[in-house]
Structure formats: structure tokens, C-alpha cells
Amino acid sequence: MPKANNLELQGGTYHVRMDIPKDVREAFGGRRILSLSLKTGSREEAMFRRLPILHAWKSQIKAAREGKALPEGWQDNVSAAIDQVDQWTQQAKRARIGEDVPAMPAPDAEDVSKAMGNPKLVAALTSLIQRRRGEPMGMVKLEDDLAALGKQFIEKQISSAHRLTTEQGQELEALVKDPASYKARSPITKTRLAAFRIYRLEHHVALKTVNQQEAKLLSLSEHLLATGTKLDFDSVSAWLQGMKLSSKTKQQYLLAASQFWQWAMTHEPQWRQTFKGHVNPFEKHTLPSLKGKAKLDAKRKAFTIEEVGTLYSAAKKQGLDTLADLILLGGYTGARIEELCQLRKEHLITVDGVKMFDIVDSKTVAGIRQMPVHPKLTALVDRLSKSSTDGYLVPTDSNNKYGIRSDALSKAFGRLKTTMGFDRTRVFHSIRATVITQLVRADVADRLIKELVGHETGTVTFDVYSDGSSPKQKLKAISKLPTIPTS
């Protein structure tokens, strides 16, 4: 037994010890005493060292007594666990009567007892098995006995590990008896969304995409909660109709929801059981589409070379020097804005005597490329490289939570072009369209244009087997871009 002040001298070294109250011993693995060496023979020092340890132990005991609050969506987890027990039981019973199903062996009595933390259960289980063996269909009935035992175990574990209100206790008891008694008002629970998030991130989906899709799924879940409708084609259709968004944006909502559906049908047993035989409710929705002139009017448009020059001059006049530099970089490369903002000094390379931008990261595989520095950019690139303080060619304070450096400059460009009278069909990406248009008009080969701007050619010959055009071929092509008026 621990001595006074919870100290005990063992072989010249003090140990701090504490009795574990009976009501929480199970939480400590059945131990009766906590003990830890204080690694000192000085009683005065031991008196001091024991205090934080005793405090930690008392906190653990308090936590074990109070239990953790039940997490959101716990009913789904309990219902899924009970359903799984029932499925195993049915499979085992069918195997007992000779049906051709994968046999589920009866749990070993000692293993079950250890799992439950109750050694006394060994004798009870052994007696139960012996009794059932002597009855007609006794071993089939045994599967029901074991299922009941498993359900009791689930209820016991939850009750002992969490702090339940009276209402939660009653709900837990009802769930264990009949998991179908609980129906989630929306099957798109935060628990499932959290699991879907982990899955997507593990499969290297961009965090921004994951967050955007999660927001779309929450919108659907809130619709189901507000309307009290089940998840089916009609409820999804009503959800879409209630959103004042473009058809293109609604299609993105459907894509996010469909990806969630496919994940849940593959990785969520309870979801599969609930929606067994159901078709994907996010498919075959007909959304209004623009046609003819309306579609043409809504399409993003390229700037003219003169308009690019006007944008550059306006940026310089307003003191937006970095934005002005970025406009020129875009006008002589056709690169995406974030590709340009991610360029570092080490991405300026020379290949076969040609100075090149080495774009090592892009939104597509084809976007990872090397493209020549246009002769009109030589002085600008040298200046940006020499003045760089952080290694990046384009200076910016913007670095949002997704690591996007172009965010602030993109917004600045949006304000600039709006003040100049350009509508929403003209964005920074329109400069990319300008470059492509000018290369086409300069009779540059289609394949070479795609190599320069980072598009797939669409043919196995060039996308898989070819190493592409030479640096000199690319330089000759990019040099055909007309001069952007900057005066």
C-alpha cells in the first residue's frame, strides 16, 4: 500500500504511488495501483517531483469517471455496428445449416471475455456453448446468443466510455434493440463528411477542392434537414431549383455530391445497406443551357494586343508595378496567373542555349513544361530575378491558406479591368486566350501551340511518345507574338 504523501522508498529510490478507485479500474486496464519512480533518493526532492504526477493521475481518474461526451453522429456509428453484428450472425447461421456462404467461426470464449474485460465470462460462455450443443439446432441458436452478447458489449463500451444523458441512455438502449428505430434526418452527416475529407486528402485532392466540395455537400444536407425529405432524385432536383446559380455551377454541385455518393457506396457499409438498389440520385439532371448568341455572349473572350497594352499602361499609371509586370509576363507567355506567380529564380534555366521558364507545377500534367523567355521579356526577367528577396520572380504578400500566391494580384487585376469598362467575360485568363489567338494567326503549328501553353495534344503519338519540340523551335514560335504597346 502507498505510504503517507503517496511516497514509498524502494531500494533507496522514492516512488510515487496511488490506489486506483474500484469504479475506474477498468479504464486503467484493470490495474489497482499506479506507480512511478521519481529517480531520487532525496525525500525533499521527491515531495516536489510527485506533485505534477499526482495531479495528472487525478485528472485521469476524474476523466474516467465523467466520461467523454458522445460525438456528433454517434447514432450512425451504433446503428452501423449493430447492423454489422446482425449481418455476421445471419451469415454464420446460414453456414451452420449448410448454405454455401463464407463461414464465420464462432468467437473463442476466452477471446470474447478478454475483449469485454470480464474474466468471469469464460465460465458462462463455456456453459452456454455446452448447453446449446445438446439442443436441436442448438449451434444455430448459439449464434443468436453470441449476437446478443455482442450487442450488450457495444452498449456497455459506449456507456462506460462516455458521459450519457438520461435521454441518450434511453436512445442507446433502443438503438441496440432495434437499429432501424433511428433514422438520420440527413444521411450526409458530419461524421461521414469527415471520413470523406480524409479519403480525398489521402488521394492527393487539393485542399481547396476538398473544402469547396464539403461546402456543397453541407448545402445539400441542410436542404434535406429543412425540408424533411429523403435523399432521392426528387429532393436533389428541388435542391438545385432552389439555388440561384448558373447551370455550370450547379453541375459542380452535382459532381461533388456524386463523388461523395460513389465513395459512400464503396466505403460505408451502412450507406450501402440503406441505399441498396438505389440509383445515383445526382445523375441525369437536366439543367438549363445557353444556346446560340446567349452562349457566345457569356463565353470568356480574349483581349486584343492593344487592350493588353492598355491594361499594362493603366496599371503603371496607378502605381501597380507588380501587376503591370505580371500582365507583360502573361502577354508574352500565355501562362496561367498562378504558374507565373510560382516561378522562382531557379526556374530560369538555359537549355540548348535558349533561356527558358521551367514550370514545375501546374493544374494539369501537360502544364508542367519548359517554355522560352520571349526576347521582349529578357530585361524584365533579369530585373525581377535581381530584385527578388524571397526567390520568387513576382513579389506578392498574398499567400492564402491554400498556398496560392496569385490571389491578391488576381483581385487587383479584376478591379483594374472593371474600372476600364471590361465585363465579366474578360479576366486575367483572357490574356492566355490572346496569346493562343495570336500564335494561331501567326501560323504556328497546333501541336506546338499546345506545348507552349501546356495543353494535351489529344494524340498518343505526341502526348506519350514524343519529347516535344526543341527549345529553338519553341523560341522561334513564341517570338512570332506581336509586340505589346506599352507607351
Side-chain angles (χ1 to χ4, degrees), residues 302-323:
F303 292 110
T304 64
I305 287 294
E306 291 72 24
E307 287 172 338
V308 174
T310 301
L311 286 164
Y312 168 84
S313 299
K316 291 292 288 185
K317 186 176 181 180
Q318 294 183 29
L320 303 173
D321 292 340
T322 299
L323 182 59

Side-chain angles (χ1 to χ4, degrees), residues 25-304:
R25 285 178 184 172
E26 187 175 349
F28 288 85
R31 296 166 63 188
R32 293 188 174 190
I33 295 176
L34 295 170
S35 178
L36 185 67
S37 172
L38 296 174
K39 299 181 180 180
T40 181
S42 166
R43 181 176 177 78
E44 182 179 355
E45 189 171 356
M47 288 286 286
F48 175 75
R49 290 187 180 184
R50 73 194 170 99
L51 296 177
I53 299 171
L54 288 172
H55 176 73
W57 284 347
K58 289 177 181 177
S59 296
Q60 291 173 11
I61 290 171
K62 181 180 179 182
R65 281 187 171 138
E66 293 180 351
K68 297 180 292 183
L70 282 169
E72 183 178 359
W74 65 272
Q75 298 96 330
D76 290 300
N77 296 331
V78 173
S79 182
I82 299 299
D83 279 341
Q84 189 66 71
V85 170
D86 286 337
Q87 289 176 32
W88 285 340
T89 302
Q90 291 303 314
Q91 189 174 5
K93 288 167 70 175
R94 290 168 61 195
R96 291 284 189 189
I97 62 176
E99 289 190 25
D100 187 18
V101 295
M104 296 292 293
D108 179 81
E110 188 173 354
D111 288 344
V112 174
S113 173
K114 288 180 180 179
M116 294 184 67
N118 183 3
K120 293 181 181 180
L121 192 60
V122 176
L125 279 175
T126 302
S127 175
L128 178 62
I129 293 172
Q130 290 174 347
R131 178 168 61 83
R132 287 300 191 192
R133 279 177 177 164
E135 299 177 359
M137 297 293 288
M139 297 311 291
V140 174
K141 294 177 182 178
L142 176 64
E143 301 298 345
D144 287 326
D145 294 332
L146 294 175
L149 194 62
K151 293 176 183 180
Q152 291 174 15
F153 172 59
I154 292 172
E155 184 176 1
K156 177 183 176 184
Q157 288 295 94
I158 293 174
S159 298
S160 61
H162 298 88
R163 182 175 67 254
L164 274 63
T165 64
T166 302
E167 183 180 349
Q168 287 173 333
Q170 294 171 346
E171 188 175 8
L172 173 60
E173 184 179 354
L175 266 175
V176 171
K177 290 180 180 178
D178 179 18
S181 65
Y182 170 72
K183 297 294 184 183
R185 293 174 63 194
S186 167
I188 306 173
T189 63
K190 289 187 178 180
T191 301
R192 284 197 173 108
L193 285 176
F196 182 55
R197 163 181 282 268
I198 293 171
Y199 174 83
R200 299 281 281 163
L201 292 174
E202 286 177 346
H203 284 75
H204 309 294
V205 178
L207 177 60
K208 182 178 180 180
T209 300
V210 172
N211 286 345
Q212 289 174 339
Q213 290 189 334
E214 187 171 299
K216 293 175 173 62
L217 290 164
L218 282 172
S219 168
L220 173 56
S221 184
E222 289 168 0
H223 167 76
L224 296 176
L225 288 168
T227 59
T229 53
K230 61 183 179 180
L231 178 59
D232 57 19
F233 183 91
D234 291 336
S235 63
V236 172
S237 180
W239 170 56
L240 292 171
Q241 291 175 13
M243 294 189 291
K244 296 180 179 180
L245 300 171
S246 68
S247 293
K248 182 178 180 180
T249 302
K250 288 182 179 180
Q251 194 61 51
Q252 293 172 350
Y253 275 73
L254 286 173
L255 175 62
S258 190
Q259 289 177 337
F260 176 80
W261 172 275
Q262 292 166 9
W263 166 82
M265 290 296 283
T266 304
H267 300 281
E268 285 280 298
Q270 187 180 11
W271 185 283
R272 281 199 304 273
Q273 184 69 22
T274 302
F275 293 99
K276 185 177 181 181
H278 291 233
V279 296
N280 186 333
F282 305 106
E283 294 180 345
K284 300 183 178 179
H285 288 271
T286 303
L287 299 173
S289 59
L290 297 174
K291 296 181 179 180
K293 185 176 183 301
K295 185 174 182 179
L296 182 62
D297 290 342
K299 182 181 178 181
R300 284 182 177 176
K301 299 176 177 63
F303 292 110
T304 64

Side-chain angles (χ1 to χ4, degrees), residues 276-384:
K276 185 177 181 181
H278 291 233
V279 296
N280 186 333
F282 305 106
E283 294 180 345
K284 300 183 178 179
H285 288 271
T286 303
L287 299 173
S289 59
L290 297 174
K291 296 181 179 180
K293 185 176 183 301
K295 185 174 182 179
L296 182 62
D297 290 342
K299 182 181 178 181
R300 284 182 177 176
K301 299 176 177 63
F303 292 110
T304 64
I305 287 294
E306 291 72 24
E307 287 172 338
V308 174
T310 301
L311 286 164
Y312 168 84
S313 299
K316 291 292 288 185
K317 186 176 181 180
Q318 294 183 29
L320 303 173
D321 292 340
T322 299
L323 182 59
D325 291 340
L326 192 60
I327 290 171
L328 282 187
L329 287 170
Y332 285 116
T333 64
R336 301 174 178 92
I337 187 170
E338 184 62 18
E339 290 175 345
L340 295 171
C341 288
Q342 290 290 346
L343 285 172
R344 296 179 60 84
K345 291 194 292 185
E346 58 264 30
H347 297 152
L348 292 174
I349 60 176
T350 300
V351 182
D352 295 340
V354 178
K355 195 168 187 178
M356 311 275 282
F357 291 115
D358 188 14
I359 299 177
V360 298
D361 192 15
S362 180
K363 64 182 295 185
T364 65
V365 174
I368 299 173
R369 63 200 187 279
Q370 294 175 347
M371 62 181 307
V373 176
H374 191 286
K376 293 289 185 179
L377 288 178
T378 301
L380 170 60
V381 169
D382 288 344
R383 171 170 61 79
L384 292 175

Side-chain angles (χ1 to χ4, degrees), residues 372-433:
V373 176
H374 191 286
K376 293 289 185 179
L377 288 178
T378 301
L380 170 60
V381 169
D382 288 344
R383 171 170 61 79
L384 292 175
S385 180
K386 291 176 182 178
S387 62
S388 174
T389 58
D390 58 2
Y392 289 100
L393 295 185
V394 179
T396 174
D397 294 330
S398 175
N399 190 10
N400 67 14
K401 61 181 178 180
Y402 304 115
I404 297 175
R405 299 188 73 251
S406 61
D407 191 48
L409 288 166
S410 178
K411 292 175 181 176
F413 181 86
R415 292 189 294 270
L416 176 69
K417 63 98 177 181
T418 299
T419 60
M420 296 178 65
F422 293 107
D423 61 20
R424 61 186 181 84
T425 64
R426 310 292 181 90
V427 293
F428 191 91
H429 206 71
S430 296
I431 299 177
R432 181 171 167 84

